[in-house]
Amino acid sequence: MSTATETTRAANLDRVAALDPVFAQMVGATAKHAWAIPELTDREKTFLCVAADVCQPSLGLAFEAHLRAGLGRGVSTADIRALLRFISYDCGYPAATAGFERLVEFEASAGSSRQEVEPLADDLLETGPGAAPSPLPDAVRSQLNDLDAHFTEHFDLQSRMRSGSGPHTLTERERGFASMSIDVHYQTLEETFHAHIGRALRGGASHDDVRAVLRFNAQFGVTRAWHAWKALNAHLAELDPTG
């Protein structure tokens, strides 16, 4: 851990200690244990922290601390902006809006200019008839049609917008991990969880890397992680019965 990163970590814990010193010890020990997980990059861990903050929601001290820690590890606010756009599909637009509000406030308080993933333009995103076709797989669309045709249209719209929302600064592995994390927070541990595990695996993640996502997420609620472990282990056993 670099000196700058350690300084940021100490400053964040000092702010928690001002609330309660024993609680600060608990937070520090838990964070140290989670951040030592070797299978995930610091960038991926930052994304998982921010996704947790938006979903829970915990957009006060925790969100700011995670942003500062991320900046110290080379994650830009443009990267966070791209993450918030991506997870809005699953966490919901009101939750993502709150995340954007806090991100802009953080940029202003830090004295930094707004960082964009791409240059601003008058027409940033095509959402009408001229939009690119939805990348939603046919098998998924069939399942959705069995539920409700309007819901399928909504899913198609979200898929088109997410695939066309600018340069993809998040890798497929990172997108899979972020989506898995949202499933853990919202306990949507069936079809969508399986699909998001598949996205992470397609992005080059191993089964151990996918397990590391749940290990890291345990700090955001052990009971949710417990249920997610049961679902993950069962699904991985189906994918690799010999493993």
Side-chain angles (χ1 to χ4, degrees):
M1 185 181 296
S2 69
T3 301
T5 301
E6 182 58 38
T7 299
T8 299
R9 178 178 178 274
N12 289 335
L13 285 177
D14 284 345
R15 294 182 63 186
V16 178
L19 303 175
D20 184 88
V22 175
F23 179 65
Q25 288 182 298
M26 296 165 65
V27 170
T30 300
K32 182 178 180 180
H33 184 256
W35 278 83
I37 292 172
E39 292 88 354
L40 304 176
T41 68
D42 285 351
R43 174 181 162 97
E44 289 165 349
K45 291 170 184 174
T46 299
F47 288 161
L48 293 178
C49 286
V50 172
D53 292 333
V54 171
C55 290
Q56 296 226 344
S58 50
L59 295 172
L61 174 55
F63 185 71
E64 182 179 340
H66 293 150
L67 289 180
R68 291 190 184 281
L71 290 177
R73 292 174 167 90
V75 180
S76 69
T77 57
D79 294 327
I80 300 301
R81 195 174 292 277
L83 175 71
L84 292 176
R85 291 174 185 170
F86 177 77
I87 66 174
S88 63
Y89 182 103
D90 289 317
C91 72
Y93 286 97
T97 298
F100 272 113
E101 287 178 332
R102 289 291 292 120
L103 177 62
V104 171
E105 290 172 1
F106 174 81
E107 288 174 327
S109 65
S112 62
S113 59
R114 172 171 166 172
Q115 297 179 15
E116 279 290 337
V117 181
E118 70 284 319
L120 288 171
D122 292 335
D123 187 10
L124 291 174
L125 184 64
E126 175 60 67
T127 60
S134 167
L136 198 65
D138 290 340
V140 175
R141 183 177 288 103
S142 177
Q143 292 182 44
L144 295 173
N145 276 325
D146 288 341
L147 299 175
D148 181 73
H150 187 276
F151 185 53
T152 306
E153 293 175 1
H154 174 82
F155 240 90
D156 271 330
L157 173 62
Q158 303 309 308
S159 297
R160 285 198 304 272
M161 291 195 298
R162 186 152 72 171
S163 65
S165 60
H168 293 299
T169 62
L170 276 65
T171 66
E172 186 168 22
R173 170 183 158 118
E174 290 168 345
R175 294 197 298 271
F177 287 170
S179 297
M180 281 180 59
S181 180
I182 293 172
D183 287 322
V184 174
H185 298 305
Y186 292 159
Q187 293 290 280
T188 49
L189 300 173
E190 297 178 345
E191 292 89 350
T192 59
F193 192 45
H194 296 172
H196 296 151
I197 293 168
R199 174 183 290 146
L201 296 175
R202 288 194 304 273
S206 68
H207 286 195
D208 280 343
D209 296 336
V210 168
R211 291 186 178 98
V213 173
L214 263 61
R215 291 170 184 155
F216 191 80
N217 267 293
Q219 66 183 300
F220 305 121
V222 293
T223 52
R224 287 189 291 268
W226 187 321
H227 284 280
W229 272 115
K230 293 171 65 177
L232 177 65
N233 286 342
H235 185 57
L236 292 181
E238 291 176 0
L239 296 178
D240 183 12
T242 64

